[in-house]
């Protein structure tokens, strides 16, 4: 099903159309943002104290505005702890956290003037954020208490995102450390020509919704060499309904990243209101997650031309509120609601993927949206159980069109359903030492056409169970 036509204003249409040519200008934009020999604007010269007590928001904003007028570099010097509320970053500047400089966010809602994030920028072309310093989001101060049953912190009514950067071209984020985000850490909306290089994210693993990096309606993005630890999805590509004016997401590469999460390591979705295409995840390590690799199509956009290559993963179960049930791979296309419009997943390749997991490598469409043209090449998955949480479940959330948690008597290594033209080439299915009764087949395919197995190897979990089942 095709997505609904997108209605743009004349101004929005002109900006979007110019995007195709904008790539030619991104190099100069970045060069201006990083340009050597430009004037430094030290925030202390504008009244920032860095004592960790009173807010330095106004002083740092004055430094940002002055640097933007001159095309300079804002320097937050080392040796200080600067408390800030909401700040607006400008185009053409390098916002530089020098040495061990630390920005600590204010826990007072009144310091955000209605902004939903600590750092915001809109149409800030040539913006750079750099340095070896850090931003501390103080997530415990935005929680109401700990839920031991769910093994997570319950958020308060107000909790800001750390960065929300919208409509920026020639954007770079390099080297900085972002800690304890109370909500999404780095949200990029409608940005083009983006480099995120070598940043560290150190969020609490038991705080929900503290995603690492979220490219949303973005194009021509490279995320490389990042080290991310967070409670929710580590790197997730979206097309949210709120950002519809910015068009589809495409041309996004994620490589050489190390990821730790209690949700998905690398993911597309669940917000998929417009098309997402030309996505590549390569040479990444998912140290732990509730799902290793994930595509969740729930809306009307199409997802196509996606590659996962040279990835190692570990996927395990967590407490019930956390999404995912330890699936090594979860490619699902399920309507959010009965009768809701939904797009298609097609053209997905997984190559040289190795993983240990507590649940299947799933490729599961639905009667409303069959998944098509998926190739798994040299993919090896070992199923085992080592946590205390319930098993024998597939997690379909978010949806009301199918059971959110699907109870299954059979958990295969590779589980396929409602899919066409699926190839497994040189793939391996194996079992660990702990094999509950619901561990069954090396491969189970249901309502799958055009299935091709080339040099597929795998045995059943126990005698008397078939290795490969097709229904």
């Amino acid at each position: 099903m095709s997505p609904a036509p997108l209605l743009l204003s004349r101004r929005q249409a002109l900006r979007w159309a110019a995007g195709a040519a904008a790539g030619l200008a991104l190099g100069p934009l970045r060069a201006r943002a990083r340009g050597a020999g430009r004037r430094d604007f030290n925030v202390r010269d504008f009244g920032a104290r860095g004592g960790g007590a009173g807010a330095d928001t106004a002083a740092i904003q004055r430094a940002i505005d002055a640097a933007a007028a001159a095309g300079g570099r804002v320097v937050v010097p080392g040796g200080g702890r600067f408390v800030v509320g909401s700040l607006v970053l400008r185009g053409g500047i390098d916002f530089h956290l020098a040495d061990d400089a630390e920005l600590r966010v204010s826990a007072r809602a009144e310091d955000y003037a209605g902004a939903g994030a600590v750092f915001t920028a809109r149409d800030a072309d040539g913006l750079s954020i750099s340095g070896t310093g850090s931003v501390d989001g103080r997530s415990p101060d935005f929680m109401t208490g700990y839920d031991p049953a769910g093994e997570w912190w319950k958020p308060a009514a107000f909790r800001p995102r750390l960065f929300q950067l919208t409509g920026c071209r020639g954007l770079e984020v390099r080297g900085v450390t972002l800690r304890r985000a109370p909500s999404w850490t780095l949200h990029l909306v409608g940005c083009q020509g983006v480099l995120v290089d070598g940043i560290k994210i150190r969020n609490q693993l038991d705080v929900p919704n503290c995603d690492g990096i979220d490219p949303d309606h973005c194009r021509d993005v490279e995320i490389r060499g990042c080290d991310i630890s967070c409670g929710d999805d580590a790197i997730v590509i979206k097309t949210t309904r709120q950002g519809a004016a910015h068009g589809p997401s495409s041309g996004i590469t994620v490589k050489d990243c190390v990821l730790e999460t209690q949700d998905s390591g690398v993911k597309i979705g669940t917000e998929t209101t417009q098309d997402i295409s030309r996505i590549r995840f390569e040479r990444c390590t998912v140290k732990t997650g509730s799902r290793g690799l994930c595509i969740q199509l729930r809306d009307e956009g199409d997802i196509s031309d996606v590659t996962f290559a040279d990835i190692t993963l570990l996927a395990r179960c967590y407490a019930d509120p956390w999404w995912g049930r330890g699936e090594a791979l979860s490619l699902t296309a399920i309507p959010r609601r009965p009768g809701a419009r939904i797009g298609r997943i097609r053209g997905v390749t997984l190559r040289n993927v190795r993983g240990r997991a507590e649940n299947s490598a799933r490729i599961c469409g639905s009667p409303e949206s069959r998944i098509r043209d998926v190739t798994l090449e040299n993919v090896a998955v070992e199923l085992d159980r080592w946590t205390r949480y319930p098993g024998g479940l597939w997690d379909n959330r978010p949806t009301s069109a199918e059971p959110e948690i699907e109870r299954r008597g059979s958990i295969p290594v590779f589980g396929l359903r409602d899919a066409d033209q699926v190839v497994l080439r040189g793939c391996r299915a194996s079992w660990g030492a702990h094999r509950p009764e619901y561990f069954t087949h090396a491969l189970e395919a249901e309502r799958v056409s055009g299935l091709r197995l080339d040099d597929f190897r795998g045995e059943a979990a126990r005698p008397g169970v078939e290795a490969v089942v097709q229904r």
Side-chain angles (χ1 to χ4, degrees):
M1 183 180 297
S2 301
L6 177 64
L7 300 179
L8 305 178
S9 69
R10 181 175 182 273
R11 182 178 180 181
Q12 290 166 338
L14 288 172
R15 180 175 176 82
W16 189 10
L24 299 175
L26 296 182
L29 286 170
R30 288 181 181 149
R32 288 199 296 274
R34 303 193 306 270
R38 297 181 310 148
R39 179 182 170 189
D40 282 350
F41 293 77
N42 191 309
V43 299
R44 289 194 183 275
D45 295 336
F46 291 80
R49 293 161 294 180
D56 288 311
T57 312
I60 294 176
Q61 188 66 61
R62 288 194 294 269
I64 291 170
D65 295 342
R73 182 173 78 152
V74 177
V75 176
V76 182
R81 178 178 290 176
F82 300 85
V83 177
V84 296
S86 58
L87 289 166
V88 180
L89 301 175
R90 311 293 189 191
I93 70 168
D94 178 12
F95 188 80
H96 185 73
L97 303 177
D99 304 321
D100 63 347
E102 180 181 298
L103 294 173
R104 299 189 80 220
V105 310
S106 170
R108 303 191 326 155
E110 56 267 33
D111 288 336
Y112 292 86
V118 183
F119 295 91
T120 63
R122 183 171 292 275
D123 301 336
D125 294 348
L127 169 64
S128 175
I129 300 161
S130 68
T132 56
S134 64
V135 179
D136 182 357
R138 296 174 62 182
S139 51
D141 294 311
F142 295 94
M143 303 294 131
T144 61
Y146 186 73
D147 171 20
E151 298 180 8
W152 63 358
W153 288 90
K154 303 301 288 291
F158 173 74
R159 52 172 176 153
R161 298 177 183 183
L162 277 193
F163 287 83
Q164 184 157 309
L165 311 178
T166 303
C168 302
R169 299 181 305 151
L171 171 66
E172 291 196 1
V173 185
R174 290 179 176 269
V176 294
T177 297
L178 310 177
R179 299 199 308 267
R180 301 198 299 173
S183 184
W184 293 5
T185 309
L186 180 59
H187 186 198
L188 311 173
V189 186
C191 295
Q192 183 172 350
V194 178
L195 175 62
V196 182
D197 185 10
I199 74 169
K200 291 183 180 179
I201 295 177
R202 293 291 182 267
N203 292 343
Q204 289 181 251
L205 287 170
D206 51 5
V207 168
N209 311 121
C210 63
D211 298 14
I213 304 174
D214 295 63
D216 179 8
H217 295 278
C218 290
R219 290 178 290 284
D220 302 324
V221 176
E222 182 175 339
I223 300 169
R224 69 189 187 200
C226 296
D227 188 344
I228 299 174
S229 179
C230 59
D232 223 300
D233 303 317
I235 299 176
V236 51
I237 298 165
K238 299 174 178 286
T239 49
T240 60
R241 206 165 296 281
Q242 295 89 338
H246 295 282
S249 285
S250 66
I252 299 174
T253 299
V254 176
K255 61 184 181 182
D256 303 309
C257 294
V258 177
L259 312 168
E260 179 182 21
T261 174
Q262 291 194 176
D263 211 301
S264 299
V266 291
K267 177 180 171 182
I268 298 173
T270 60
E271 295 92 343
T272 50
T273 65
Q274 293 182 40
D275 293 351
I276 299 175
S277 65
R278 297 191 298 115
I279 309 299
R280 185 175 182 88
F281 303 98
E282 61 183 8
R283 298 193 303 276
C284 291
T285 299
V286 181
K287 292 169 61 176
T288 186
S290 65
R291 287 171 292 207
L293 316 179
C294 185
I295 299 178
Q296 286 180 283
L297 178 64
R298 297 294 183 271
D299 303 302
E300 61 267 28
D302 289 338
I303 298 175
S304 63
D305 192 6
V306 179
T307 299
F308 301 89
D310 303 303
I311 294 175
T312 60
L313 64 90
L314 184 145
R316 49 155 290 187
C317 298
Y318 292 91
D320 182 61
W322 296 97
W323 285 8
R325 286 295 179 269
E327 296 94 343
L329 164 69
S330 184
L331 272 60
T332 59
I334 304 170
R336 280 190 186 272
R337 299 170 298 280
R341 296 171 58 227
I342 184 170
R344 295 284 187 270
I345 297 175
R346 65 182 188 278
V348 178
T349 299
L350 296 96
R351 182 182 301 114
N352 301 332
V353 174
R354 296 280 186 279
R356 180 169 178 253
E358 292 196 286
N359 208 338
S360 306
R362 296 183 62 191
I363 302 173
C364 294
S366 58
E368 299 87 349
S369 180
R370 295 177 65 85
I371 297 175
R372 183 178 181 84
D373 298 325
V374 178
T375 299
L376 281 66
E377 182 176 347
N378 195 25
V379 174
V381 176
E382 178 189 87
L383 286 200
D384 201 351
R385 281 307 314 263
W386 61 92
T387 67
R388 60 184 175 82
Y389 305 101
L393 308 169
W394 277 356
D395 193 341
N396 297 324
R397 292 176 289 183
T399 181
S400 58
E402 294 189 7
E404 288 191 319
I405 302 297
E406 181 179 338
R407 300 188 179 277
R408 295 180 54 84
S410 172
I411 296 293
V413 178
F414 293 91
L416 316 178
R417 184 168 67 196
D418 290 313
D420 305 303
Q421 308 304 316
V422 179
V423 177
L424 278 72
R425 181 180 299 118
C427 294
R428 305 289 180 264
S430 60
W431 307 93
H434 307 94
R435 307 182 191 185
E437 287 297 317
Y438 52 78
F439 275 6
T440 54
H441 316 288
L443 184 146
E444 181 178 351
E446 184 178 0
R447 301 189 299 273
V448 175
S449 69
L451 175 61
R452 179 176 170 182
L453 303 180
D454 295 338
D455 188 26
F456 175 81
R457 297 182 187 177
E459 298 179 351
R462 65 184 55 81
V465 177
E466 296 179 82
V468 176
V469 173
Q470 298 185 58
R471 299 186 180 93

